[in-house]
Amino acid sequence: MGNFIKKLFVVLLLALVQTAVCNADSFKGKIVNAETGEILVGATIRSEINPQPGWSIQTSSETDSTGCFILDTSSEGRIMFTFSMIGYKNSRKVDYAYGPEVKDTTDFGVIKLQPTALMLKEVEVTAKVPRITMSGDTIVFNPEAFKLKEGARLDELIKKLPGVERRDGKLYWNNKPIRMMMNGKDLFGGDQIIGQLPAEVANKLKLYDRKSELARHTGNDDGEEDQVLDIQVKPGFLDKWYGDVKAQYQTKKRYMFEGNARKLSDHDPQMLYLQANNANRYVDKTMNSTMNSNIDGDGKSQYGSYNYQHNWHTKGTSQYSNNRFDISANLGHYDGWNTIGKSTETFFPNKEHTFAVSENYHYKHNFKPHMEARLFAYTDSVNTISVTAKASYEKSRKTNEDKGASYGYEPNKFEYHSLNAALAAKPGDALYERLITRNRNYQSSEQQDRNLYVEYAWEHFIGKSGSFSLKGYTQISGNNEDTHNNRDLEYLREKRSETVWQFYSRDNKELTTKLGATFEHWLGKKVYVNITDNVKYSRTNTTRDFFTDNNKQNVVDGTPTTLDPNNTMSNLMHTWTNQLTLKSTITPVKALMIMPKFSWNVNREKSDYRYGQLDTTAVRTSQTYEPSIFLKWKMSRVRNMDLSFAYNTTVPELVSTFGYRNTVDPLYIYTGNPMLRNSHSHTTTYNYHRMWLRKQIVLGLSASYNKDINPIATLYSYDSSTGVYESKPMNVKGGDMLTFGLNYDQGIGVYFRLMNKFALETAKSYGFLTIVDNNDPNAVPELNLQKRLGINENFEFSYEAEKVQLTLFNRLEWNRYRYDDASYNTNPLYNSVGINATLRLSPFQVFMQLSDDFRSGYATSAMNGHKLVSWASVSYSFCKNKCQLSLFVDDIFNKDIMYDSEYSAYQRSESSANYIHHYANLSFTYRFDAKAKKK
């Protein structure tokens, strides 16, 4: 009986193996004589695959009467084929098998064996390492498959990974943010730190979904996960220092000095950063993030930081997140300044239009020290504690100079004029007769901000069933500001002018504290439930003393002395909030997750508010409900999709519902609106992701629909005799937006890559046309419908070889705006087509980019037309690539201009800003990269 059971088990096992083989990868081809083309019958094909280190699987087959063969494998891994026959040289090919879930067939085509008198004398090996492979549910990127220059940084490698992109300073894959890790631990220093590390340290880069701490305790997937890009470091590269020192001179008389040092370690990583420059760069490097941006149009800065982390494990918790203690201290200072020119057209209903031109010069001095400490630790195998403490101080000094003019015109008969011409116009000039107002304003202010923030949490894991946690934070902040305004105003239609001196002192103090409890529990293996209740209290006290004078005799040392009761204000606000959230994860089958969520928010606000003549105490209690649902379907390792729906309610700020009247700027008056109502919106999104591993294709599809209900817009009232605008918030008819996106990325062979990111948007929104000379409080303003069709595309086709890299690109932004009144219609277009090229002739590297930037459809004529934009660099590496000397030239033809535009249902504005361009810089960099010890 025992032998019978054993035989039955063997038969069933063989059946399962046969079933797996039928569904496995297939490799086929035809073997012929290389010299005569004669088919070779009975030639032997042997395969060897290594699915795991230390063991291999071997299979064999023979060609049939037509010289053809087919060989299947159900395992995953690097596979080597040997083709042999007596009297012929062996031939070998290396490929990759992707396991039972990928059922593609690889056709080797015709394999030619060379006849020889000596068997196995020579061996031909053809090997191609794929960019992407799979290991279970983990996507593995192979660094050796990407062409990189010697000494390349990790960020250069990551930029080449199929499907990976950087948006707004963050890395994304499949439209989802990436959490950077190294050897399974969070990358100390954040995403930007990868620019310091050499690409050589990476053995593999793994992309996977990291389960939540609860999921790893219970063994059940609760759907809470991070998309991780995990850098696997090669042996011998840890516990060593990496970094660089850089010195740069830039025309005219600009400099930059920078020093980076980073210790790469699993246990005690450290980071030190210092910089000083007057080239308009501000770099802020802390233990978990990095900011690298322009200060303004121009600027200078100094910054330094030191960051340290210690990692360890409590006994019995090595399978969970590591314990860690972080501390960071940094000190930053910058000065920034810029000049911005702006033109604004305001739409009226069948009335005179206005066109305003303005220029703003601003300067800001900022000084900001900051300290932060964080702790996360397991006290034992089922309890964790975490504490975060932040303390910061910021002192800033700002100045603003504004010049502006507004004038009217008849539609389709307007000729644009410069601001200087409008300010210089005199009585009798044709332009002067059209002018409504002119103004000059000088503002200076000093401000101090102080902030202390402490966050704390305790979590207890209840066996395999769930957890209970307490979390909270306390924040204390203070702000004070002193501001001087000096305004010169001309009301040309009324033929009068005035000078106004203003001063106000504002003080703000705030205390916020929050405490919440969460209970998570698994009901069996398929249903997870999370119940959270958060209680928050905040107290805010804001006061502002305001002084205004029109008579210079009352101004002492530039400060007015007459109290302005109309703009003096105070507000003492108490807010109690309770948020109850219920969410669940339901897993009817392994591949499908359904995640509903419902939040109930109760908010009670009390305000003692005084603004001018308004003195009131208001109490408001509001309740909002926010349901949502998220469906995630992982059809296979290479194909997944998700669908979500969320409904949100926005309660207007309590102060905006008061009937206050702000006349600080006499030309632009702001008022509250007691009739404001809640706004609502709901959003539905769909994402589909697919990979064809053998063809190295990554495809992403996305679609979303957003509906706004009672959104808040701005209603302008205009006095044609004074040129004064008065605005207040009001609810308008809701609009909607539909978005479709397509991301395609393909590696074509070893050297070519095709990438295209396409987005199509169609939107509808409403806004109020400006009310003109209407004092009737019951007047119903006219709505103006705006319809927008937008297309964005980013196309690249590149060739990447060892010494040459070429990329053809096209970047398109086009919008079609349509209104009820066709005279407002416009079609702004921006398109940049060009090429960039890199030539590596060691020790030199040359780079150049040339593009034709074309704009059309803008009201500002200087924005339209073709502009040839180009920049280039050449670098020389020496001292075994540790040193590099580089020359960079920006905007060679001096054509680039920074433009911006904004379109609404009631207004159209276009602006240009100064910034540093058309320069040359010479830089020297020394890198001290560690090297692995040779065995």
Side-chain angles (χ1 to χ4, degrees):
M1 183 66 180
N3 290 335
F4 174 77
I5 293 176
K6 291 180 181 179
K7 291 179 180 179
L8 180 60
F9 175 76
V10 172
V11 171
L12 290 174
L13 181 62
L14 290 174
L16 289 173
V17 170
Q18 291 298 319
T19 303
V21 170
C22 292
N23 294 328
D25 287 351
S26 297
F27 299 86
K28 67 178 183 178
K30 184 177 183 178
I31 300 179
V32 301
N33 186 309
E35 294 186 359
T36 65
E38 174 187 5
I39 62 172
L40 299 179
V41 180
T44 301
I45 305 96
R46 293 185 177 88
S47 72
E48 181 176 344
I49 189 168
N50 302 93
Q52 292 185 17
W55 61 286
S56 64
I57 299 175
Q58 298 180 0
T59 57
S60 64
S61 181
E62 291 185 353
T63 55
D64 59 18
S65 59
T66 64
C68 297
F69 69 89
I70 185 167
L71 190 146
D72 299 324
T73 181
S74 60
S75 300
E76 180 180 355
R78 181 179 180 273
I79 187 169
M80 175 183 287
F81 294 90
T82 302
F83 311 100
S84 62
M85 191 169 184
I86 296 176
Y88 294 85
K89 298 178 183 178
N90 283 4
S91 177
R92 291 180 184 169
K93 286 186 179 292
V94 178
D95 211 290
Y96 197 89
Y98 295 97
E101 293 192 31
V102 181
K103 305 176 181 61
D104 293 340
T105 298
T106 300
D107 190 349
F108 288 140
V110 176
I111 299 167
K112 300 178 180 180
L113 298 185
Q114 290 285 348
T116 179
L118 299 174
M119 295 191 307
L120 304 176
K121 183 177 180 180
E122 296 181 14
V123 176
E124 176 189 352
V125 178
T126 303
K128 173 187 172 184
V129 180
R131 289 181 172 91
I132 314 174
T133 61
M134 292 289 293
S135 177
D137 289 334
T138 299
I139 299 168
V140 180
F141 298 105
N142 299 293
E144 62 270 23
F146 299 90
K147 303 299 181 183
L148 297 171
K149 66 179 183 294
E150 188 174 357
R153 306 287 95 184
L154 257 177
D155 59 341
E156 298 176 62
L157 170 62
I158 291 174
K159 279 194 302 186
K160 295 178 178 292
L161 302 183
V164 173
E165 60 178 324
R166 182 177 288 278
R167 299 201 306 263
D168 303 323
K170 295 182 179 180
L171 291 171
Y172 288 81
W173 194 79
N174 190 22
N175 280 327
K176 295 180 181 179
I178 290 175
R179 175 180 172 182
M180 292 296 302
M181 303 189 79
M182 181 172 286
N183 290 346
K185 299 179 177 65
D186 285 311
L187 181 59
F188 187 62
D191 297 355
Q192 297 288 345
I193 207 71
I194 58 179
Q196 295 181 26
L197 298 174
E200 185 185 6
V201 307
N203 183 34
K204 298 288 182 183
L205 292 99
K206 297 183 177 181
L207 187 71
Y208 56 86
D209 292 329
R210 180 180 173 86
K211 306 303 180 184
S212 69
E213 205 74 9
L214 175 66
R216 280 178 283 152
H217 272 272
T218 63
N220 298 323
D221 191 354
D222 58 359
E224 300 292 334
E225 59 191 17
D226 292 323
Q227 188 171 243
V228 166
L229 183 62
D230 194 348
I231 303 166
Q232 302 294 296
V233 179
K234 294 177 182 176
F237 283 90
L238 286 174
D239 297 310
K240 295 182 178 180
W241 285 89
Y242 302 82
D244 58 67
V245 178
K246 182 177 181 179
Q248 173 183 300
Y249 173 79
Q250 179 176 307
T251 57
K252 299 178 178 177
K253 296 182 179 179
R254 297 183 183 274
Y255 64 86
M256 174 178 282
F257 299 101
E258 189 175 44
N260 289 282
R262 171 181 173 82
K263 184 181 180 182
L264 200 63
S265 174
D266 278 342
H267 301 288
D268 295 285
Q270 299 178 57
M271 185 172 67
L272 177 66
Y273 178 72
L274 297 168
Q275 73 90 12
N277 78 91
N278 67 349
N280 195 39
R281 301 301 297 172
Y282 186 76
V283 184
D284 184 328
K285 294 194 176 184
T286 64
M287 54 191 172
N288 59 344
S289 65
T290 300
M291 181 187 70
N292 188 341
S293 64
N294 286 330
I295 298 170
D296 209 318
D298 203 348
K300 60 182 180 180
S301 73
Q302 301 85 38
Y303 179 85
S305 71
Y306 173 75
N307 306 270
Y308 169 79
Q309 182 178 84
H310 176 61
N311 296 301
W312 77 99
H313 275 103
T314 300
K315 185 177 180 180
T317 65
S318 58
Q319 69 271 37
Y320 308 129
S321 291
N322 57 289
N323 300 338
R324 55 191 178 272
F325 172 73
D326 310 301
I327 189 167
S328 172
N330 56 76
L331 176 64
H333 158 261
Y334 69 81
D335 296 274
W337 54 92
N338 199 1
T339 300
I340 299 175
K342 186 176 183 180
S343 59
T344 303
E345 180 184 9
T346 304
F347 306 153
F348 297 156
N350 305 314
K351 296 279 186 177
E352 175 193 50
H353 295 192
T354 65
F355 186 83
V357 288
S358 64
E359 182 180 277
N360 167 265
Y361 169 79
H362 56 266
Y363 166 85
K364 182 176 182 180
H365 164 85
N366 183 281
F367 172 75
K368 185 177 181 180
H370 175 86
M371 290 194 68
E372 180 176 353
R374 301 185 306 177
L375 169 69
F376 172 85
Y378 276 88
T379 58
D380 54 38
S381 61
V382 293
N383 289 281
T384 68
I385 58 169
S386 61
V387 180
T388 298
K390 302 178 184 178
S392 66
Y393 171 80
E394 184 172 3
K395 185 175 182 179
S396 60
R397 184 174 67 251
K398 296 180 286 186
T399 59
N400 278 277
E401 294 183 52
D402 292 285
K403 297 183 289 185
S406 65
Y407 40 97
Y409 68 98
E410 295 298 325
N412 304 321
K413 295 182 180 179
F414 176 75
E415 294 182 1
Y416 293 99
H417 299 274
S418 70
L419 174 63
N420 290 333
L423 294 176
K426 298 179 180 179
D429 297 343
L431 177 59
Y432 185 87
E433 300 304 319
R434 293 179 179 234
L435 284 169
I436 303 169
T437 62
R438 293 190 295 201
N439 69 283
R440 300 172 189 263
N441 176 46
Y442 177 81
Q443 181 186 84
S444 64
S445 65
E446 292 188 359
Q447 182 172 322
Q448 295 185 75
D449 295 277
R450 301 163 295 277
N451 188 72
L452 176 63
Y453 176 87
V454 180
E455 181 180 324
Y456 31 84
W458 165 69
E459 185 168 11
H460 173 69
F461 296 97
I462 307 170
K464 296 291 185 179
S465 61
S467 72
F468 175 78
S469 61
L470 294 174
K471 299 178 182 179
Y473 71 83
T474 299
Q475 182 173 7
I476 303 173
S477 61
N479 170 280
N480 59 277
E481 177 184 0
D482 292 335
T483 298
H484 288 80
N485 278 319
N486 186 2
R487 304 180 187 273
D488 291 320
L489 307 168
E490 294 181 87
Y491 302 93
L492 299 176
R493 286 185 173 176
E494 292 188 332
K495 301 188 184 318
R496 68 181 179 91
S497 62
E498 66 176 349
T499 299
V500 180
W501 289 267
Q502 297 174 325
F503 169 77
Y504 66 83
S505 177
R506 183 180 63 86
D507 186 73
N508 182 81
K509 298 181 178 67
E510 183 174 355
L511 167 67
T512 302
T513 187
K514 175 182 175 181
L515 183 62
T518 299
F519 177 68
E520 302 171 280
H521 186 69
W522 279 92
L523 305 175
K525 294 288 186 180
K526 296 185 178 295
V527 179
Y528 157 80
V529 177
N530 178 304
I531 302 175
T532 300
D533 189 67
N534 289 309
V535 179
K536 183 173 75 172
Y537 168 75
S538 66
R539 182 186 186 275
T540 305
N541 188 11
T542 304
T543 60
R544 183 178 71 192
D545 296 324
F546 206 94
F547 299 84
T548 303
D549 273 306
N550 298 87
N551 189 339
K552 191 174 183 179
Q553 292 182 351
N554 297 326
V555 179
V556 179
D557 296 329
T559 302
T561 58
T562 304
L563 184 66
D564 181 357
N566 292 325
N567 288 299
T568 296
M569 65 86 63
S570 66
N571 183 26
L572 177 59
M573 174 78 75
H574 298 268
T575 304
W576 294 265
T577 302
N578 189 85
Q579 182 185 59
L580 178 65
T581 301
L582 174 64
K583 62 181 181 179
S584 178
T585 299
I586 304 169
T587 312
V589 294
K590 184 179 180 181
L592 178 64
M593 282 187 174
I594 305 172
M595 304 168 67
K597 180 180 178 181
F598 180 79
S599 292
W600 175 31
N601 307 292
V602 181
N603 196 43
R604 186 180 186 275
E605 301 162 280
K606 180 183 177 182
S607 175
D608 295 317
Y609 186 79
R610 179 173 59 86
Y611 198 113
Q613 300 300 317
L614 176 66
D615 191 349
T616 184
T617 297
V619 177
R620 181 177 69 177
T621 300
S622 59
Q623 298 188 48
T624 59
Y625 309 93
E626 298 183 339
S628 66
I629 189 168
F630 181 74
L631 284 79
K632 181 166 60 174
W633 184 17
K634 192 169 185 179
M635 293 165 274
S636 71
R637 294 182 303 169
V638 296
R639 189 163 49 123
N640 60 74
M641 59 169 279
D642 59 71
L643 179 67
S644 65
F645 171 84
Y647 184 90
N648 296 288
T649 297
T650 302
V651 180
E653 185 182 3
L654 181 60
V655 171
S656 67
T657 65
F658 297 153
Y660 73 93
R661 183 179 173 83
N662 182 327
T663 59
V664 171
D665 187 341
L667 295 179
Y668 295 93
I669 298 171
Y670 300 91
T671 65
N673 180 8
M675 303 302 293
L676 277 181
R677 295 173 293 161
N678 292 352
S679 299
H680 312 272
S681 67
H682 59 80
T683 304
T684 304
T685 60
Y686 171 81
N687 291 290
Y688 175 79
H689 181 254
R690 177 75 163 95
M691 292 188 299
W692 289 266
L693 293 172
R694 205 177 302 285
K695 296 180 181 180
Q696 301 296 290
I697 295 175
V698 176
L699 174 69
L701 295 173
S702 63
S704 67
Y705 174 75
N706 182 81
K707 174 66 177 178
D708 291 318
I709 305 166
N710 297 328
I712 295 177
T714 302
L715 171 64
Y716 279 96
S717 300
Y718 173 71
D719 188 333
S720 62
S721 62
T722 62
V724 173
Y725 285 91
E726 186 170 320
S727 68
K728 69 176 179 179
M730 288 187 68
N731 296 97
V732 296
K733 185 178 180 179
D736 54 24
M737 181 170 69
L738 179 65
T739 304
F740 171 77
L742 170 65
N743 290 346
Y744 181 85
D745 197 318
Q746 180 180 8
I748 306 173
V750 178
Y751 301 109
F752 292 94
R753 181 184 181 185
L754 175 66
M755 185 271 290
N756 192 35
K757 300 172 184 176
F758 175 83
L760 173 68
E761 291 184 350
T762 176
K764 181 175 66 175
S765 62
Y766 291 87
F768 290 116
L769 288 175
T770 303
I771 297 176
V772 181
D773 300 332
N774 191 335
N775 295 319
D776 182 2
N778 298 317
V780 179
E782 292 189 32
L783 280 176
N784 191 23
L785 171 63
Q786 181 195 72
K787 295 180 179 179
R788 181 177 69 88
L789 176 66
I791 294 177
N792 286 270
E793 185 177 33
N794 186 358
F795 170 85
E796 289 186 5
F797 181 70
S798 57
Y799 170 78
E800 299 178 352
E802 195 69 35
K803 294 184 177 181
V804 178
Q805 292 189 7
L806 298 171
T807 300
L808 300 172
F809 63 86
N810 187 76
R811 299 181 179 100
L812 171 68
E813 296 177 12
W814 177 78
N815 287 282
R816 177 181 180 270
Y817 294 96
R818 291 296 178 264
Y819 300 90
D820 290 335
D821 186 340
S823 64
Y824 305 148
N825 294 347
T826 186
N827 303 284
L829 166 70
Y830 169 74
N831 190 77
S832 178
V833 58
I835 183 173
N836 61 55
T838 301
L839 176 64
R840 300 191 185 102
L841 297 174
S842 183
F844 292 95
Q845 178 173 298
V846 180
F847 177 84
M848 184 170 185
Q849 178 170 303
L850 178 67
S851 67
D852 174 51
D853 293 359
F854 175 71
R855 290 180 174 89
S856 68
Y858 293 90
T860 305
S861 58
M863 293 178 67
N864 296 316
H866 293 271
K867 291 181 174 61
L868 193 63
V869 179
S870 181
W871 50 280
S873 70
V874 58
S875 60
Y876 170 68
S877 299
F878 54 101
C879 295
K880 298 181 179 179
N881 290 314
K882 291 183 178 181
C883 300
Q884 186 178 78
L885 191 64
S886 300
L887 176 65
F888 173 81
V889 183
D890 180 79
D891 191 18
I892 295 172
F893 304 109
N894 195 20
K895 296 292 185 181
D896 200 11
I897 301 176
M898 185 178 290
Y899 288 120
D900 193 17
S901 61
E902 186 176 348
Y903 298 82
S904 70
Y906 62 89
Q907 205 170 69
R908 174 170 59 210
S909 65
E910 297 169 355
S911 62
S912 63
N914 294 330
Y915 79 105
I916 298 175
H917 66 109
H918 189 53
Y919 60 81
N921 72 45
L922 182 66
S923 63
F924 170 78
T925 304
Y926 172 75
R927 286 174 175 161
F928 47 93
D929 289 344
K931 297 292 183 182
K933 295 181 180 179
K934 295 182 179 179
K935 294 182 179 180

